[in-house]
Short mmCIF file of all heavy atoms in Angstrom, two decimals:
data_model
loop_
_atom_site.label_atom_id
_atom_site.label_comp_id
_atom_site.label_asym_id
_atom_site.label_seq_id
_atom_site.Cartn_x
_atom_site.Cartn_y
_atom_site.Cartn_z
N GLU A 1 0.84 -1.21 0.03
CA GLU A 1 0.01 0.00 0.00
C GLU A 1 0.87 1.26 0.00
O GLU A 1 0.53 2.26 -0.70
CB GLU A 1 -0.97 0.01 1.16
CG GLU A 1 -1.82 1.30 1.14
CD GLU A 1 -3.04 1.25 2.02
OE1 GLU A 1 -3.14 0.30 2.85
OE2 GLU A 1 -3.91 2.14 1.90
N PHE A 2 1.93 1.24 0.78
CA PHE A 2 2.83 2.41 0.78
C PHE A 2 3.36 2.68 -0.66
O PHE A 2 3.45 3.82 -1.10
CB PHE A 2 3.98 2.19 1.76
CG PHE A 2 4.77 3.43 2.01
CD1 PHE A 2 4.49 4.28 3.08
CD2 PHE A 2 5.86 3.75 1.19
CE1 PHE A 2 5.26 5.44 3.31
CE2 PHE A 2 6.61 4.88 1.42
CZ PHE A 2 6.30 5.76 2.49
N SER A 3 3.74 1.63 -1.33
CA SER A 3 4.26 1.75 -2.67
C SER A 3 3.21 2.34 -3.63
O SER A 3 3.52 3.18 -4.46
CB SER A 3 4.72 0.38 -3.21
OG SER A 3 5.12 0.44 -4.55
N MET A 4 1.97 1.87 -3.52
CA MET A 4 0.89 2.40 -4.36
C MET A 4 0.63 3.87 -4.04
O MET A 4 0.48 4.69 -4.97
CB MET A 4 -0.39 1.57 -4.15
CG MET A 4 -0.34 0.16 -4.67
SD MET A 4 -0.22 0.00 -6.47
CE MET A 4 1.56 -0.25 -6.67
N LEU A 5 0.59 4.24 -2.77
CA LEU A 5 0.36 5.63 -2.40
C LEU A 5 1.49 6.51 -2.93
O LEU A 5 1.24 7.65 -3.42
CB LEU A 5 0.31 5.77 -0.89
CG LEU A 5 -0.92 5.18 -0.17
CD1 LEU A 5 -0.74 5.19 1.33
CD2 LEU A 5 -2.20 5.95 -0.56
N ASP A 6 2.67 6.01 -2.92
CA ASP A 6 3.85 6.78 -3.41
C ASP A 6 3.81 6.92 -4.89
O ASP A 6 4.36 7.92 -5.47
CB ASP A 6 5.11 6.08 -2.96
CG ASP A 6 6.31 6.98 -2.96
OD1 ASP A 6 6.15 8.14 -2.61
OD2 ASP A 6 7.43 6.52 -3.28
N THR A 7 3.14 6.01 -5.58
CA THR A 7 3.08 6.01 -7.08
C THR A 7 2.05 6.98 -7.60
O THR A 7 2.23 7.60 -8.65
CB THR A 7 2.79 4.59 -7.53
OG1 THR A 7 3.80 3.70 -7.18
CG2 THR A 7 2.75 4.59 -9.10
N VAL A 8 0.93 7.11 -6.85
CA VAL A 8 -0.20 7.88 -7.37
C VAL A 8 -0.24 9.28 -6.76
O VAL A 8 -1.29 9.74 -6.28
CB VAL A 8 -1.54 7.14 -7.13
CG1 VAL A 8 -1.58 5.86 -7.94
CG2 VAL A 8 -1.74 6.87 -5.63
N ASP A 9 0.83 9.99 -6.83
CA ASP A 9 0.99 11.31 -6.26
C ASP A 9 -0.14 12.26 -6.65
O ASP A 9 -0.41 12.39 -7.86
CB ASP A 9 2.33 11.88 -6.64
CG ASP A 9 2.63 13.26 -6.00
OD1 ASP A 9 2.35 13.39 -4.82
OD2 ASP A 9 3.10 14.13 -6.72
N GLY A 10 -0.78 12.86 -5.66
CA GLY A 10 -1.85 13.85 -5.96
C GLY A 10 -3.22 13.23 -6.06
O GLY A 10 -4.23 13.99 -6.07
N LEU A 11 -3.31 11.89 -6.17
CA LEU A 11 -4.62 11.23 -6.29
C LEU A 11 -4.99 10.47 -5.06
O LEU A 11 -6.07 9.89 -4.96
CB LEU A 11 -4.61 10.29 -7.51
CG LEU A 11 -4.31 10.90 -8.84
CD1 LEU A 11 -4.17 9.82 -9.92
CD2 LEU A 11 -5.37 11.91 -9.25
N ALA A 12 -4.11 10.48 -4.05
CA ALA A 12 -4.28 9.77 -2.83
C ALA A 12 -3.57 10.49 -1.70
O ALA A 12 -2.76 11.40 -1.99
CB ALA A 12 -3.75 8.33 -2.97
N PRO A 13 -3.79 10.12 -0.49
CA PRO A 13 -3.04 10.76 0.61
C PRO A 13 -1.55 10.54 0.46
O PRO A 13 -1.10 9.44 0.00
CB PRO A 13 -3.53 10.01 1.86
CG PRO A 13 -4.90 9.51 1.46
CD PRO A 13 -4.79 9.17 0.03
N ARG A 14 -0.76 11.54 0.74
CA ARG A 14 0.72 11.41 0.65
C ARG A 14 1.22 10.51 1.79
O ARG A 14 0.98 10.74 2.93
CB ARG A 14 1.34 12.81 0.76
CG ARG A 14 2.86 12.86 0.84
CD ARG A 14 3.37 14.27 0.99
NE ARG A 14 2.74 14.93 2.13
CZ ARG A 14 3.26 14.86 3.39
NH1 ARG A 14 4.31 14.13 3.64
NH2 ARG A 14 2.64 15.54 4.35
N PRO A 15 1.97 9.44 1.43
CA PRO A 15 2.51 8.54 2.46
C PRO A 15 3.68 9.24 3.18
O PRO A 15 4.47 9.95 2.54
CB PRO A 15 2.92 7.31 1.69
CG PRO A 15 3.28 7.84 0.33
CD PRO A 15 2.34 9.00 0.06
N ILE A 16 3.80 9.04 4.45
CA ILE A 16 4.87 9.65 5.27
C ILE A 16 5.93 8.63 5.67
O ILE A 16 7.11 8.80 5.43
CB ILE A 16 4.29 10.37 6.51
CG1 ILE A 16 3.31 11.44 6.06
CG2 ILE A 16 5.40 10.91 7.39
CD1 ILE A 16 2.51 12.08 7.22
N GLN A 17 5.45 7.53 6.29
CA GLN A 17 6.39 6.49 6.74
C GLN A 17 5.61 5.27 7.00
O GLN A 17 4.40 5.28 7.25
CB GLN A 17 7.09 6.99 8.05
CG GLN A 17 8.29 6.10 8.43
CD GLN A 17 9.17 6.83 9.47
OE1 GLN A 17 9.17 8.06 9.55
NE2 GLN A 17 9.94 6.04 10.22
N TRP A 18 6.31 4.10 6.97
CA TRP A 18 5.68 2.85 7.26
C TRP A 18 6.57 1.97 8.08
O TRP A 18 7.83 2.19 8.16
CB TRP A 18 5.21 2.09 5.99
CG TRP A 18 6.36 1.54 5.19
CD1 TRP A 18 7.13 2.19 4.26
CD2 TRP A 18 6.88 0.17 5.22
NE1 TRP A 18 8.06 1.36 3.70
CE2 TRP A 18 7.92 0.10 4.25
CE3 TRP A 18 6.56 -0.99 5.94
CZ2 TRP A 18 8.66 -1.08 4.03
CZ3 TRP A 18 7.28 -2.13 5.70
CH2 TRP A 18 8.29 -2.17 4.78
N GLY A 19 6.02 1.05 8.78
CA GLY A 19 6.78 0.12 9.62
C GLY A 19 6.09 -1.25 9.71
O GLY A 19 4.88 -1.34 9.48
N ASN A 20 6.84 -2.25 10.15
CA ASN A 20 6.27 -3.60 10.18
C ASN A 20 6.77 -4.35 11.36
O ASN A 20 7.13 -5.51 11.26
CB ASN A 20 6.55 -4.33 8.90
CG ASN A 20 5.58 -5.50 8.67
OD1 ASN A 20 4.56 -5.60 9.29
ND2 ASN A 20 5.96 -6.43 7.83
N HIS A 21 6.88 -3.68 12.54
CA HIS A 21 7.36 -4.33 13.71
C HIS A 21 6.16 -4.92 14.47
O HIS A 21 5.40 -4.19 15.07
CB HIS A 21 8.10 -3.33 14.60
CG HIS A 21 8.59 -3.88 15.86
ND1 HIS A 21 9.46 -4.97 15.94
CD2 HIS A 21 8.30 -3.62 17.17
CE1 HIS A 21 9.69 -5.27 17.23
NE2 HIS A 21 8.99 -4.46 17.98
N ARG A 22 6.02 -6.20 14.41
CA ARG A 22 4.87 -6.95 15.00
C ARG A 22 3.58 -6.69 14.24
O ARG A 22 2.90 -7.63 13.78
CB ARG A 22 4.73 -6.64 16.47
CG ARG A 22 5.86 -7.25 17.31
CD ARG A 22 5.54 -7.17 18.80
NE ARG A 22 5.49 -5.81 19.28
CZ ARG A 22 5.23 -5.46 20.50
NH1 ARG A 22 4.93 -6.34 21.40
NH2 ARG A 22 5.23 -4.20 20.86
N PHE A 23 3.16 -5.41 14.14
CA PHE A 23 1.92 -5.08 13.39
C PHE A 23 2.30 -3.98 12.38
O PHE A 23 2.92 -3.01 12.74
CB PHE A 23 0.87 -4.59 14.34
CG PHE A 23 0.37 -5.69 15.26
CD1 PHE A 23 0.76 -5.74 16.57
CD2 PHE A 23 -0.53 -6.66 14.80
CE1 PHE A 23 0.32 -6.71 17.42
CE2 PHE A 23 -1.02 -7.65 15.64
CZ PHE A 23 -0.59 -7.69 16.97
N PRO A 24 1.85 -4.17 11.12
CA PRO A 24 2.17 -3.20 10.07
C PRO A 24 1.37 -1.86 10.25
O PRO A 24 0.25 -1.89 10.70
CB PRO A 24 1.78 -3.88 8.79
CG PRO A 24 0.75 -4.89 9.20
CD PRO A 24 1.12 -5.31 10.61
N TRP A 25 2.03 -0.76 9.88
CA TRP A 25 1.35 0.55 10.03
C TRP A 25 1.90 1.51 8.93
O TRP A 25 3.00 1.33 8.44
CB TRP A 25 1.57 1.15 11.39
CG TRP A 25 3.01 1.26 11.82
CD1 TRP A 25 3.75 0.34 12.54
CD2 TRP A 25 3.93 2.33 11.54
NE1 TRP A 25 5.05 0.79 12.70
CE2 TRP A 25 5.19 2.00 12.13
CE3 TRP A 25 3.80 3.55 10.84
CZ2 TRP A 25 6.28 2.84 11.98
CZ3 TRP A 25 4.89 4.35 10.73
CH2 TRP A 25 6.13 4.01 11.32
N ILE A 26 1.08 2.49 8.62
CA ILE A 26 1.48 3.56 7.73
C ILE A 26 1.02 4.89 8.35
O ILE A 26 -0.12 4.98 8.85
CB ILE A 26 0.80 3.45 6.29
CG1 ILE A 26 1.30 2.25 5.58
CG2 ILE A 26 1.07 4.69 5.47
CD1 ILE A 26 0.63 2.08 4.19
N LEU A 27 1.88 5.86 8.28
CA LEU A 27 1.49 7.26 8.56
C LEU A 27 1.31 7.95 7.20
O LEU A 27 2.12 7.80 6.31
CB LEU A 27 2.55 8.02 9.37
CG LEU A 27 2.64 7.69 10.86
CD1 LEU A 27 3.79 8.49 11.47
CD2 LEU A 27 1.33 7.95 11.57
N MET A 28 0.23 8.69 7.09
CA MET A 28 -0.05 9.38 5.81
C MET A 28 -0.74 10.71 6.03
O MET A 28 -1.22 11.01 7.17
CB MET A 28 -0.89 8.50 4.91
CG MET A 28 -2.31 8.25 5.39
SD MET A 28 -3.22 7.03 4.39
CE MET A 28 -2.57 5.50 5.07
N GLU A 29 -0.80 11.49 4.99
CA GLU A 29 -1.46 12.78 5.04
C GLU A 29 -2.91 12.62 5.36
O GLU A 29 -3.57 11.65 4.94
CB GLU A 29 -1.26 13.42 3.63
CG GLU A 29 -2.05 14.68 3.37
CD GLU A 29 -2.01 15.08 1.93
OE1 GLU A 29 -1.71 14.23 1.05
OE2 GLU A 29 -2.25 16.28 1.64
N TYR A 30 -3.51 13.58 6.06
CA TYR A 30 -4.93 13.62 6.31
C TYR A 30 -5.57 14.48 5.20
O TYR A 30 -5.29 15.66 5.06
CB TYR A 30 -5.23 14.24 7.67
CG TYR A 30 -6.70 14.40 7.96
CD1 TYR A 30 -7.58 13.32 7.85
CD2 TYR A 30 -7.22 15.62 8.37
CE1 TYR A 30 -8.95 13.51 8.07
CE2 TYR A 30 -8.55 15.83 8.67
CZ TYR A 30 -9.44 14.73 8.52
OH TYR A 30 -10.75 14.91 8.78
N VAL A 31 -6.48 13.88 4.43
CA VAL A 31 -7.12 14.57 3.30
C VAL A 31 -8.59 14.83 3.66
O VAL A 31 -9.28 13.96 4.17
CB VAL A 31 -7.07 13.70 2.03
CG1 VAL A 31 -7.79 14.37 0.88
CG2 VAL A 31 -5.63 13.40 1.64
N THR A 32 -9.01 16.06 3.44
CA THR A 32 -10.40 16.41 3.74
C THR A 32 -11.22 16.45 2.48
O THR A 32 -10.70 16.58 1.37
CB THR A 32 -10.48 17.80 4.46
OG1 THR A 32 -9.95 18.76 3.59
CG2 THR A 32 -9.74 17.76 5.77
N GLY A 33 -12.54 16.34 2.59
CA GLY A 33 -13.42 16.30 1.45
C GLY A 33 -14.78 15.72 1.84
O GLY A 33 -14.94 15.31 2.99
N GLU A 34 -15.67 15.69 0.90
CA GLU A 34 -16.99 15.16 1.13
C GLU A 34 -17.14 13.79 0.41
O GLU A 34 -16.76 13.67 -0.77
CB GLU A 34 -18.07 16.14 0.62
CG GLU A 34 -18.12 17.46 1.30
CD GLU A 34 -18.60 17.34 2.72
OE1 GLU A 34 -19.39 16.44 3.03
OE2 GLU A 34 -18.14 18.20 3.57
N HIS A 35 -17.73 12.83 1.09
CA HIS A 35 -18.05 11.58 0.46
C HIS A 35 -19.26 11.79 -0.42
O HIS A 35 -20.20 12.49 -0.07
CB HIS A 35 -18.35 10.53 1.52
CG HIS A 35 -17.24 10.18 2.42
ND1 HIS A 35 -16.04 9.63 1.95
CD2 HIS A 35 -17.05 10.31 3.74
CE1 HIS A 35 -15.21 9.42 2.96
NE2 HIS A 35 -15.80 9.86 4.05
N PRO A 36 -19.28 11.17 -1.62
CA PRO A 36 -20.40 11.36 -2.52
C PRO A 36 -21.72 10.76 -1.96
O PRO A 36 -21.64 9.71 -1.31
CB PRO A 36 -19.95 10.64 -3.79
CG PRO A 36 -18.98 9.66 -3.31
CD PRO A 36 -18.27 10.29 -2.19
N SER A 37 -22.83 11.44 -2.19
CA SER A 37 -24.12 10.90 -1.75
C SER A 37 -25.09 10.84 -2.90
O SER A 37 -26.09 10.10 -2.87
CB SER A 37 -24.68 11.78 -0.64
OG SER A 37 -24.79 13.12 -1.04
N ASP A 38 -24.82 11.60 -3.98
CA ASP A 38 -25.68 11.58 -5.18
C ASP A 38 -24.87 10.97 -6.30
O ASP A 38 -23.88 11.50 -6.76
CB ASP A 38 -26.10 13.03 -5.55
CG ASP A 38 -26.99 13.65 -4.49
OD1 ASP A 38 -27.83 12.95 -3.92
OD2 ASP A 38 -26.79 14.86 -4.22
N PHE A 39 -25.36 9.80 -6.75
CA PHE A 39 -24.61 9.07 -7.78
C PHE A 39 -25.21 9.38 -9.15
O PHE A 39 -25.80 8.58 -9.81
CB PHE A 39 -24.63 7.55 -7.44
CG PHE A 39 -24.16 7.29 -6.02
CD1 PHE A 39 -25.02 6.76 -5.10
CD2 PHE A 39 -22.92 7.67 -5.64
CE1 PHE A 39 -24.64 6.53 -3.80
CE2 PHE A 39 -22.48 7.48 -4.35
CZ PHE A 39 -23.32 6.89 -3.41
N ASP A 40 -24.94 10.63 -9.54
CA ASP A 40 -25.57 11.18 -10.76
C ASP A 40 -24.47 11.42 -11.81
O ASP A 40 -23.36 10.95 -11.70
CB ASP A 40 -26.32 12.47 -10.44
CG ASP A 40 -25.43 13.46 -9.66
OD1 ASP A 40 -24.20 13.28 -9.62
OD2 ASP A 40 -25.99 14.44 -9.13
N GLU A 41 -24.84 12.22 -12.79
CA GLU A 41 -23.92 12.49 -13.90
C GLU A 41 -22.68 13.24 -13.40
O GLU A 41 -21.57 12.97 -13.87
CB GLU A 41 -24.62 13.31 -14.98
CG GLU A 41 -23.69 13.58 -16.21
CD GLU A 41 -24.41 14.29 -17.33
OE1 GLU A 41 -25.59 14.57 -17.19
OE2 GLU A 41 -23.75 14.60 -18.30
N ASN A 42 -22.85 14.15 -12.48
CA ASN A 42 -21.70 14.90 -11.99
C ASN A 42 -20.76 13.94 -11.24
O ASN A 42 -19.52 14.07 -11.39
CB ASN A 42 -22.16 16.00 -11.01
CG ASN A 42 -20.98 16.75 -10.41
OD1 ASN A 42 -20.24 17.39 -11.17
ND2 ASN A 42 -20.84 16.69 -9.09
N PHE A 43 -21.27 13.00 -10.48
CA PHE A 43 -20.49 12.01 -9.85
C PHE A 43 -19.72 11.17 -10.83
O PHE A 43 -18.51 10.93 -10.75
CB PHE A 43 -21.37 11.14 -8.97
CG PHE A 43 -20.72 9.88 -8.44
CD1 PHE A 43 -19.72 9.99 -7.46
CD2 PHE A 43 -21.08 8.61 -8.87
CE1 PHE A 43 -19.14 8.81 -6.97
CE2 PHE A 43 -20.53 7.48 -8.40
CZ PHE A 43 -19.52 7.60 -7.43
N ALA A 44 -20.41 10.68 -11.85
CA ALA A 44 -19.77 9.88 -12.88
C ALA A 44 -18.71 10.64 -13.60
O ALA A 44 -17.66 10.14 -13.93
CB ALA A 44 -20.82 9.35 -13.86
N ASP A 45 -18.98 11.93 -13.88
CA ASP A 45 -18.02 12.81 -14.57
C ASP A 45 -16.73 12.93 -13.77
O ASP A 45 -15.64 12.78 -14.34
CB ASP A 45 -18.63 14.19 -14.69
CG ASP A 45 -18.71 14.64 -16.15
OD1 ASP A 45 -18.52 13.81 -17.02
OD2 ASP A 45 -18.94 15.85 -16.38
N ARG A 46 -16.84 13.19 -12.47
CA ARG A 46 -15.67 13.37 -11.65
C ARG A 46 -14.85 12.06 -11.53
O ARG A 46 -13.65 12.10 -11.61
CB ARG A 46 -16.02 13.88 -10.28
CG ARG A 46 -16.63 15.24 -10.26
CD ARG A 46 -16.71 15.89 -8.92
NE ARG A 46 -15.37 16.17 -8.39
CZ ARG A 46 -15.19 16.97 -7.32
NH1 ARG A 46 -16.21 17.57 -6.73
NH2 ARG A 46 -13.96 17.22 -6.87
N MET A 47 -15.54 10.98 -11.44
CA MET A 47 -14.87 9.69 -11.37
C MET A 47 -14.24 9.30 -12.69
O MET A 47 -13.13 8.68 -12.70
CB MET A 47 -15.81 8.61 -10.88
CG MET A 47 -16.27 8.78 -9.44
SD MET A 47 -14.87 8.93 -8.26
CE MET A 47 -14.10 7.33 -8.43
N ALA A 48 -14.86 9.67 -13.79
CA ALA A 48 -14.25 9.41 -15.09
C ALA A 48 -12.95 10.18 -15.21
O ALA A 48 -11.96 9.65 -15.72
CB ALA A 48 -15.22 9.81 -16.20
#
């Protein structure tokens, strides 16, 4: 997941650091926004 986040710069939270000591973890950027609730043409447009 850290590798994928690092690859898709600007389309996902920016990864900061990861570790795998006993239990795996990632620190990443906190991204704000609204979850979609209307699955209409505007929604399809943005996802396209």
Side-chain angles (χ1 to χ4, degrees):
E1 181 164 11
F2 189 93
S3 174
M4 292 293 97
L5 290 171
D6 201 36
T7 300
V8 296
D9 182 43
L11 300 174
R14 173 181 56 86
I16 299 171
Q17 193 164 336
W18 70 277
N20 199 18
H21 177 60
R22 291 191 295 179
F23 294 102
W25 55 267
I26 293 179
L27 284 179
M28 66 187 82
E29 172 190 21
Y30 176 53
V31 177
T32 60
E34 297 291 330
H35 297 298
S37 56
D38 296 320
F39 308 116
D40 52 13
E41 182 177 357
N42 179 62
F43 169 68
D45 238 11
R46 295 193 67 165
M47 292 305 297

